[in-house]
Amino acid sequence: MVVLRAGLCPGLTEEMIQLLRANNIRTVVDFVSSDLEDVAQNCSVSYKVLVAVRRVLLAQFSAFPTNGADLYEELKSSTAILPTGSPSLDQLLDAGLYTGEVTELAGAPGSGKTQVCLSIAANVSLGLRQHVVFLDSTGGFTASRLYQMLQARVEDREEQMEALQRVQVVRVFDIYEMLRALHEVRDCLSQQVESSAGLLKAVLIDSVSAVLSPLLGGRQSEGLAIMMQLARELKTLAKEFSVAVLVTNQVTRDNSTSALKSALGRSWSFVPSTRVLLQGRAAPWEEGTAHTACLAKSPRQVGSGYGKGRCGCGAVGCRVSLPRGTHCNGRVADVCY
Amino acid sequence: MRLIQQHALHKIGISKEEALEALQVVRQECAGDAAKTAGGSDSTRKCTALELLEEEHAQGFIITFCSALDNILGGGVQLTKITEICGAPGVGKTQLCMQLAVDVQIPECFGGVAGEAVFIDTEGSFMVDRAADIATACVQHCQLIAEAHQEEDHLKALETFSLESILSHIYYFRCRDYIELLAQVYLLPDFLSEHSKVRLVVIDGIAFPFRHDFEDLSLRTRLLNGLAQQLIIIANDHKSAVVLTNQMTTRFGQNQSMLVPALGESWGHAATVRLIFHWDNTQSLRASEMCSLHLSPKMQKVLK
């Protein structure tokens, strides 16, 4: 909502502003959407001048359409794909985490979400030598586990130490602290953009539901508003600075089908472009340590389901191999890390 | 303050970089003021993984005096993390909590963290005479070690490590319903800033106040999630371990039923480390306790 002021464009003088304001035209939107003949009559301003000002304002403030080819070129040059370190998970995600997008990892307690995040941090920091910001809201980040993963990948102690230094951990236990931390990351990035090529490539948030679920539900609706503000922050961060944003989410049990689905409700389901559901062992004392990952929503995979990406069991080309009732697209991979 | 529009910048006549710098200065000053008033709790929350690793190596553990348990916990109950102990009735959760409340006070020369303990009891299962027995046994154990090694600092530490001092450093709170429990937890940071030596907060029976008399389940979820976040803040800011005990409930599957920890799926995410105790097939009472680490950031094996 840009307010009309003198100097916004040539021809818009202080006098004209006062006359327009007397007729309730205060912002650019008011000006552009009003009928100029009426305005010319009421404000006793020349019609030609108004038309000229309108043309300049539209040129300055409206969005420009681009064609698909330019968009594709821009996407090719600015998007990077970060491998996660687990080949089967990469295959599920269509080669890895895409920068410029928000990816979500949901799972029951103990299914391995924090482990996958640590593994991605280790991979990006060691393999790609890029910086990673890890926002920890559950207290689950253990540096010794990250160190173990690095030790498993490379032998040289120097490299391990350097990789550890490239991972920055911020502990945020409240939604407002999380928003502030994201603002700081954004400021840091916009200051760096001129100097270096932007070394930060991944922002991992574990977990988003821990800070949002105390606010949702009940009769107050501010929780939903804050959730959408967080969503907007994440998407702007991903899009403007070409970073890959990964968030982890809890699961809740669906009342009717008693299947597991991601928490935070339907409003949040539109925020990430890719959603992966992790499943671990059924009971803690059972043998076997294989975890499975299931793709619940994806903009790229074949057979992503018609409509909202829910159980696409009837869609053509979609292989269903999970029990009835789970929300999935039938693409399942065994993940080992 | 957050939105810097282009025209505002032009109006003030500074560039975007200068505006960002100004914001940073203001933010640091605000953080500095907040630090003076609130005790600087959030100024140290940002660090690299390398610094965190060094911190973790320097931190001690609270040992449980059961070597199998210490093994799967990776040395003992970790500080700055929330540990949840689940199990059927009678398996020994309150006993373990009392043991930990005594073990946290073991002096550093014997391998402990030399801290104090806060015990929040919701079920009324804390028995003082049992705690006195555990404390006496612990003191005797340390005396044996001191006699075996005969070092100066061992003997000096033993002078202050006695039954009376142990019992006087366990701060006991009794909460009868969920409102008292929530109030106690939210007031705990003030208490902890006065008693800065506390290294363990035990909540014995976190499920009990929330399981009966609660009609609005979504309110329960919200309260529990808020409680979890508050406990994590306490664990982090005061460098103490938080130990919770939880009950078990039955979940009916398609053709079987299982015992799972109570309070639902969303509560499962609150704890960093979850210990589930259950009996195995033999009927012998304490001899075979199987304990498996359900959620752990470090270890993923099942130990029998």
Side-chain angles (χ1 to χ4, degrees), chain A residues 31-189:
Chain A
F31 186 86
V32 161
S33 51
S34 55
D35 186 3
L36 289 187
E37 284 190 5
D38 286 340
V39 173
Q41 262 181 353
N42 292 344
C43 305
S44 61
V45 183
S46 148
Y47 181 73
K48 271 195 195 159
V49 172
L50 285 176
V51 167
V53 168
R54 179 157 80 167
R55 203 177 305 135
V56 176
L57 285 178
L58 278 176
Q60 244 184 357
F61 288 102
S62 57
F64 279 105
T66 56
N67 63 44
D70 290 341
L71 207 58
Y72 181 62
E73 288 302 313
E74 194 197 314
L75 204 68
K76 269 202 309 186
S77 60
S78 63
T79 310
I81 305 180
L82 308 176
T84 59
S86 155
S88 37
L89 189 61
D90 281 343
Q91 196 187 20
L92 201 65
L93 291 173
D94 193 22
L97 284 183
Y98 276 66
T99 60
E101 283 184 11
V102 178
T103 313
E104 178 192 275
L105 207 59
S111 53
K113 306 184 290 296
T114 312
Q115 300 296 306
V116 173
C117 287
L118 287 176
S119 159
I120 294 176
N123 209 50
V124 171
S125 147
L126 190 65
L128 304 174
R129 301 190 118 75
Q130 303 279 359
H131 286 247
V132 176
V133 168
F134 198 107
L135 292 177
D136 183 20
S137 69
T138 56
F141 180 87
T142 321
S144 7
R145 179 71 181 131
L146 184 63
Y147 186 49
Q148 268 180 3
M149 288 182 176
L150 290 172
Q151 278 176 324
R153 280 168 224 254
V154 83
E155 302 263 325
D156 182 21
R157 199 180 148 73
E158 274 294 316
E159 281 189 52
Q160 290 163 3
M161 294 296 133
E162 274 179 21
L164 278 178
Q165 274 184 330
R166 284 191 277 261
V167 177
Q168 195 179 58
V169 181
V170 187
R171 291 193 160 128
V172 289
F173 299 123
D174 193 343
I175 183 64
Y176 301 105
E177 287 177 20
M178 183 176 279
L179 285 171
R180 183 170 62 173
L182 287 172
H183 287 148
E184 280 179 19
V185 170
R186 198 145 65 111
D187 290 343
C188 203
L189 279 175

Side-chain angles (χ1 to χ4, degrees), chain A residues 109-111 114-115 118 136-143 145 171 173 206, chain B residues 56 73 77-85 228-229 231-233 235-236 240-244 267-275 293-299:
Chain A
S111 53
T114 312
Q115 300 296 306
L118 287 176
D136 183 20
S137 69
T138 56
F141 180 87
T142 321
R145 179 71 181 131
R171 291 193 160 128
F173 299 123
D206 180 26
Chain B
E56 278 178 25
L73 285 173
V77 172
Q78 287 180 22
L79 297 182
T80 75
K81 302 257 186 273
I82 298 185
T83 308
E84 188 180 340
I85 303 175
Q229 286 307 106
L231 288 173
I232 295 177
I233 293 176
N236 222 298
S240 50
V242 175
V243 174
L244 315 168
W267 178 249
H269 295 90
T272 321
V273 179
R274 201 182 223 188
L275 285 176
L293 219 53
H294 189 45
L295 300 168
S296 169
K298 278 181 16 177
M299 293 167 72

